[in-house]
């Protein structure tokens, strides 16, 4: 029984379940512990040693960290289902010009110019902002995964085609350990036998062919006797 644990932090909206399943198959002797965290907490968890790796939303302070960008998310606007914005298949930032738009303090999208009009308050979290959208107090622009996470039956969302996008990355502190290399391989889709993995399966050794039996030499005198006609 091992006392090692690989601790993986992740921000809201990221769903690490598929990678956890592969880890369990490939590294069964080391449990993977999930550590949910707010977007602004993951880096501190990594630097303090309370997590071995983490899924973060860029940008983050990269000092002392290794970071691999993974994927970019579509940006959407979260609106009540009966709102005029919901009538379109997709919108632009200018379509929100006359709307009150919440910008929570934990927002991860980098804006040069935020869309819409500033709402009457800045909620502390995205979850609090969603509740205000439900009440009809304003709209909310978020990465699509957060809209899915905070789904409500009376809300919907539409793509904002010209909005900045959120990028998810894998980060870890210090040296790249064998376990970290294993997890990087899993996230990047490497096979279990990849040459960059920690414990690749060695190729099977080819069997050597059995040595041929050599015919014993027959003395010339005996060979002549064998060939003598009767």
């Amino acid at each position: 029984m091992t006392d090692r644990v690989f601790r993986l932090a992740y921000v809201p909206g990221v769903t690490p379940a598929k990678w956890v399943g592969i880890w369990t198959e490939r590294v069964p002797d080391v449990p993977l512990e999930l550590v949910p965290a707010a977007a602004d907490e993951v880096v501190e968890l990594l630097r303090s040693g309370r997590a071995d790796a983490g899924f973060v939303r860029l940008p983050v302070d990269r000092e002392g960290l290794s970071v691999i960008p993974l994927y970019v998310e579509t940006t959407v606007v979260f609106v009540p289902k009966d709102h005029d914005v919901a009538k379109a298949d997709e919108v632009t930032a200018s379509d929100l010009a006359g709307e009150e738009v919440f910008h929570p303090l934990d927002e991860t999208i980098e804006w040069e110019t935020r869309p819409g009009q500033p709402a009457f308050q800045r909620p502390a979290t995205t979850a609090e902002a969603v509740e205000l959208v439900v009440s009809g107090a304003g709209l909310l622009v978020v990465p699509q995964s957060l809209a899915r996470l905070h789904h409500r039956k009376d809300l919907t969302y539409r793509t904002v085609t010209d909005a900045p996008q959120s990028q998810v990355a894998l980060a870890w502190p210090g040296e790249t350990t064998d376990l970290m290399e294993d997890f990087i391989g899993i996230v990047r889709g490497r096979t279990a036998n990849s040459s960059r993995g920690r414990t690749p399966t060695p190729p099977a050794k080819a069997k050597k062919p059995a040595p041929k039996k050599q015919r014993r030499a027959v003395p010339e005198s005996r060979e002549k006797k064998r060939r003598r006609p009767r």
Side-chain angles (χ1 to χ4, degrees), residues 2-206:
T2 179
D3 57 356
R4 292 190 302 171
V5 175
F6 188 80
R7 294 158 299 176
L8 177 65
Y10 64 100
V11 296
V14 175
T15 51
K18 63 179 180 180
W19 297 309
V20 174
I22 298 172
W23 175 277
T24 302
E25 293 175 0
R26 294 190 188 176
V27 196
D29 57 326
V30 180
L32 190 152
E33 178 183 315
L34 291 176
V35 184
D40 59 354
E41 294 177 347
V42 178
V43 169
E44 179 57 31
L45 289 174
L46 296 174
R47 289 185 175 143
S48 66
R50 287 176 289 165
D52 300 296
F55 289 110
V56 300
R57 292 188 186 277
L58 299 180
V60 295
D61 181 0
R62 300 192 181 200
E63 184 178 354
L65 301 178
S66 297
V67 179
I68 299 176
L70 297 177
Y71 59 89
V72 174
E73 288 195 77
T74 299
T75 300
V76 302
V77 58
F78 223 178
V79 301
K81 283 187 175 180
D82 58 356
H83 196 281
D84 286 344
V85 169
K87 297 176 183 178
D89 293 331
E90 56 186 28
V91 298
T92 64
S94 62
D95 293 326
L96 307 178
E99 305 291 341
E100 289 193 14
V101 179
F102 292 105
H103 300 288
L105 296 176
D106 65 353
E107 183 178 53
T108 57
I109 298 174
E110 283 201 310
W111 298 97
E112 290 187 6
T113 303
R114 288 190 169 100
Q117 303 296 320
F120 65 94
Q121 71 176 80
R122 291 198 67 185
T125 66
T126 296
E128 291 178 18
V130 171
E131 295 303 326
L132 291 169
V133 175
V134 172
S135 72
L139 309 183
L140 176 64
V141 179
V142 292
Q144 187 171 1
S145 66
L146 289 181
R148 290 172 176 166
L149 176 66
H150 295 289
H151 172 72
R152 299 287 191 279
K153 63 180 181 180
D154 47 356
L155 296 183
T156 187
Y157 57 85
R158 296 292 183 266
T159 299
V160 184
T161 57
D162 57 351
Q165 294 177 310
S166 174
Q167 189 169 26
V168 174
L170 176 64
W172 67 97
E175 297 181 358
T176 304
T177 64
D178 286 342
L179 290 177
M180 190 65 228
E181 188 64 50
D182 280 335
F183 191 72
I184 293 170
I186 289 170
V187 172
R188 285 189 158 178
R190 297 180 200 152
T191 64
N193 293 333
S194 168
S195 60
R196 295 188 65 184
R198 176 169 62 97
T199 53
T201 301
K205 294 182 179 179

